[in-house]
Amino acid sequence: MVLKRELYQALEDVVGPENISEAPVILGSYAQRGRPRFEAVTLPKTTEEVQAIVRLCNRFGVQFKASSSGWGAYGDAGGPGVVKLDLRRMNRILEINEKNMYVVVEPYVIYAQLQAELMKRGLNCNITGAGSNCSALPLAAHQGIGHLSVSGSYGERNQLALEWVTPEGEIVRAGSLGSIGQWWCGDGPGPSLRGIIRGNVMPLGGLGVYTKAAQKIYHWPGPATFPIEGVSPHYRPNQIPPGFMIHYISFPSPEKLSKAAQKVGEAEIGFILMGFNPGMISANIATNNNEDLAYIKQFTDSVQGPGFLIIMAGNSPRDTEYKEKALQQIIDEYGGEPLEAVEEPKNAGGFMWRFIRVTSSIREVARASGIFAGEVGGTDVFPLMHQYIMRSAPVKQRYIDEGKLLADGTDPFVQSVEHGHAGHAELLIRFNKQDPGSLKVAGEIAQFANKTAIEGHFGVPGHAWGDAAHDQYGPHTLNYHKWLRKIKKTFDPNAASESTNYITADN
Amino acid sequence: MALEDYRTDMEMCCRCSICKFVPLEKLTEKRHSYVCPSIARYNFHTYSGGGRTSMGLALLDEELEYDEKLLEVVYNCQMCGACDMSCKYAMDIEVLEPINEIRIKCVEGGHTVPALDGIISSLRNQATMVPGAKAKRGDWAAGLDVKDITKQQAGVIYHAGCRVCYDQDLRQVATNTIELLKKAGIDVGIAGENEICCGGRAYQMGYKEDFLNQAKKYMEIIRKSGAKTLVTGCADCYHAFKVPYDKFGLKGDLEVMHATEYLARLIEEGKLKPTKKVDIKVTYHDPCHLGRLGEPYIHWEGNPVPGHIRIFDPPKEFRRGTYGVYEPPRDVLKSIPGLKLVEMDRVKEYAWCCGAGGGVRESNPDFAKWTARERISEAESTGADAIVTACSGCEQNFKETIDECGSSLKVYDVVELLARAI
């Protein structure tokens, strides 16, 4: 369909002729190959412009969808008749409140930008595991779980007050912003709406547009800028800042790994704690795919079993000493062994910085073949998430043996959130996306993960979005899908906010 | 190679957007965190490296018409290679090569823009990329007493480049270089009136056949001269001789050096000794074609290995900007007594483009100046008195933009400052 000229003109009046297009060359780049294209792409600059676009879409009976950095395919159109809001021009860090330790950003601030500005002030932020190339809005980038979540929590918990343009075009200011115009609290005084706005895995563009949000930030014990030298892709720091330590520890069994990770949480010594397998460690250091394969073999041959990557950051010499001793005690108690290649002076600093800045996720998930998939555990009690992923992970080996997946190891990664208060787990697979057999396998693994989650009562995982997934999980989980539909219908009576990856009101 | 040959590279783009930013490991300031002028100016994803590869696939599959908007996107890109370098921090794919092939495909199909056609017409008729050039090409060397390589043998040929030959403001770089080389006892010659355009910019504008014609003519001049080494002060020309000439098997064993590389070597060898103080605080702008695009071409032929990870037999080494010419210009500047060098936020492989490249200065001067203003502002933020570069294109664009925007920043070439010190 082509937008009515009256609507296009009205949209153009809102954003200006430079910031709207319906040219095929523009629309094509906003759609994955073979997927539906938007009818027009707009580039709003302000909340008021977003509101005006949303209201026009409601008035003219077309849908809209917004996205920020736009990596995830859930930012795409699900079908015809959708107007895109590319929030790229909304790119300001509005406030860094050092005293109260929060920051307010617009959607197109990316984590790398935010972290760089925070470090200069002795502060830091959680970064989604997908990478620091993603939006720093705590409501974007899926759940916002990341490498730093052991010490820096994640999106849902860090989110404070926010500004939301509802699917009908009302501007809602939630939390303390709604009552006293301040950003420091997400839940009052004033409306919270946290559960409605976020759900389990975010509405993924299906419930209006989030235009500004505050989030909690954390103490950074390191230098204002990490001392990185070299030329891309061979970056590494000229020294490791005082108090920073990195280790990869493997364990004799998944059970011992799980217990050791919980102990690290209890001792509160982890700055980063990720249960990466050797394949993910290798992708981090390898600067190309050939190196990656060599490192996978080297690291896999060098570990005794599943392991975790830990970075510690001491706040003082005594704190550093305590953390080192505590970790050694945990290693001794659970039979851990270090992967020496990670600790070698020529490697350690580079590993450390890539994990802190979260720059290597693209290498880990996309360099092999341009695509990744897998199953995603939810965010729940650490041992529960560990059990869930361990129960379903072995299926990967069968597909590796059949030549359907890259042989990059079968250990899933499990991570600790808030020093073990919660946990998160994922099993990643990499495969040739041109191979229909491998694509089928990806679907089968997802279904196996769903079956495991439902039969094992592991809760609703983070990969559950869209009508089909909610309809599958809902009946086993207090019929939450019916409530989710009511939320959708109540806040979006005209079904204007495109919901392919959220839930539709109709089913 | 043609656009089709890069299909799998383009299909590998996962739309992560790192092509829009400086390498994330090196990002220290939000203010200077963007690396691609095109997406920074025009904002639609299409203008980014990732957006352009998406466009390339759509063109291959005949899903797009060559309409006005498409050509606007295609030609509003400086071909600076920043997207390519940032992407290859993480990925094993070609980005700039298919972008160049899109232009070649456009030109081959007759889908061009008048401004660039005008320049190419000048190239075809007058062997220069400066349309309407009035002066004689060799005038810049009047009174220099330098060998004419079309009549005498010389070990080193100095190539001045179109801009320098026809722009009075830029000639100082060429005359200074010859004087310094002679002072160091180098057997140098020039083609003078017989010098022709290297054709490099024609290639990056998509006019591949014109480039090849020009390159073949140029190499014939060099072959006859007997010169083993070519030195040029223009980064655009340096890149042309070093990379596409090699890519198409035309370079042979000619040693190609930028003037700053050659002069740094002479200083290192003690053949040039900067002794006079030049009291100035400067910041150095890495020209794209000397820096990230200036690394040698890597010949490779092979096939993908079937499987779930993109590797090749034999292994393919990607050009990632790692081995560009970054230190020699800085070494020359650091050798000058009294000169203080301060760095901008975006340097070396992730330097922000001056704005002039890829035909943008000719087809969309406003965009070229917009891009230059961003760099000038970055240079000003260092507190430097001057921005120093090693490319006549950068120098010209900076000077014109500074004249318009009223900045007090001075613009120099590295060679000019060295000449003051000797």
Side-chain angles (χ1 to χ4, degrees), chain A residues 225-504:
Chain A
T225 57
F226 226 73
I228 299 298
E229 293 185 342
V231 179
S232 180
H234 306 295
Y235 295 129
R236 68 179 194 199
N238 56 25
Q239 60 174 337
I240 293 178
F244 280 76
M245 300 153 279
I246 182 168
H247 304 279
Y248 183 85
I249 311 295
S250 67
F251 294 89
S253 67
E255 292 72 28
K256 290 200 170 179
L257 162 71
S258 175
K259 285 180 178 165
Q262 289 173 72
K263 284 284 185 185
V264 167
E266 286 172 17
E268 297 190 2
I269 59 175
F271 180 67
I272 283 177
L273 181 77
M274 294 289 273
F276 286 140
N277 69 23
M280 301 179 81
I281 298 292
S282 63
N284 179 286
I285 189 173
T287 57
N288 60 63
N289 280 330
N290 285 94
E291 278 184 16
D292 204 345
L293 287 176
Y295 278 123
I296 288 175
K297 181 169 185 343
Q298 180 193 333
F299 293 169
T300 303
D301 290 348
S302 305
V303 298
Q304 58 173 330
F308 59 59
L309 181 286
I310 181 167
I311 294 176
M312 299 185 292
N315 295 294
S316 67
R318 282 191 66 199
D319 187 38
T320 302
E321 186 184 352
Y322 159 71
K323 285 172 173 164
E324 280 179 329
K325 279 186 180 170
L327 180 64
Q328 190 56 54
Q329 198 171 323
I330 293 165
I331 290 170
D332 293 343
E333 188 174 347
Y334 295 100
E337 287 180 1
L339 177 58
E340 289 176 1
V342 171
E343 298 170 22
E344 284 174 9
K346 66 174 183 175
N347 295 337
F351 268 126
M352 187 179 287
W353 180 235
R354 288 187 293 272
F355 283 122
I356 293 173
R357 180 50 65 87
V358 195
T359 64
S360 288
S361 301
I362 303 162
R363 292 178 176 178
E364 291 158 13
V365 301
R367 185 174 55 200
S369 62
I371 192 171
F372 78 103
E375 58 174 300
V376 181
T379 303
D380 210 306
V381 180
F382 183 89
L384 191 72
M385 288 298 95
H386 187 241
Q387 284 172 35
Y388 163 66
I389 209 75
M390 290 311 298
R391 193 181 293 190
S392 53
V395 70
K396 184 178 175 186
Q397 187 60 53
R398 176 156 61 87
Y399 294 119
I400 290 174
D401 293 342
E402 290 174 6
K404 301 279 176 55
L405 301 175
L406 179 67
D408 58 356
T410 55
D411 291 332
F413 84 79
V414 190
Q415 67 178 105
S416 170
V417 177
E418 292 181 357
H419 297 299
H421 172 76
H424 174 81
E426 295 185 27
L427 175 68
L428 296 182
I429 57 174
R430 295 183 275 183
F431 55 92
N432 180 356
K433 62 184 174 184
Q434 308 297 345
D435 180 351
S438 296
L439 283 169
K440 187 164 168 277
V441 160
E444 286 171 7
I445 286 182
Q447 278 311 313
F448 185 77
N450 290 336
K451 189 166 173 283
T452 304
I454 290 168
E455 291 178 357
H457 307 290
F458 289 110
V460 183
H463 64 255
W465 61 70
D467 281 315
H470 290 310
D471 287 340
Q472 185 177 9
Y473 278 97
H476 303 280
T477 322
L478 301 173
N479 285 323
Y480 80 85
H481 60 308
K482 294 184 178 177
W483 290 98
L484 206 56
R485 287 209 162 87
K486 284 183 181 176
I487 290 170
K488 173 70 178 171
K489 196 163 190 173
T490 302
F491 283 91
D492 190 10
N494 301 321
S497 192
E498 201 279 313
S499 290
T500 304
N501 299 302
Y502 179 42
I503 197 166
T504 59

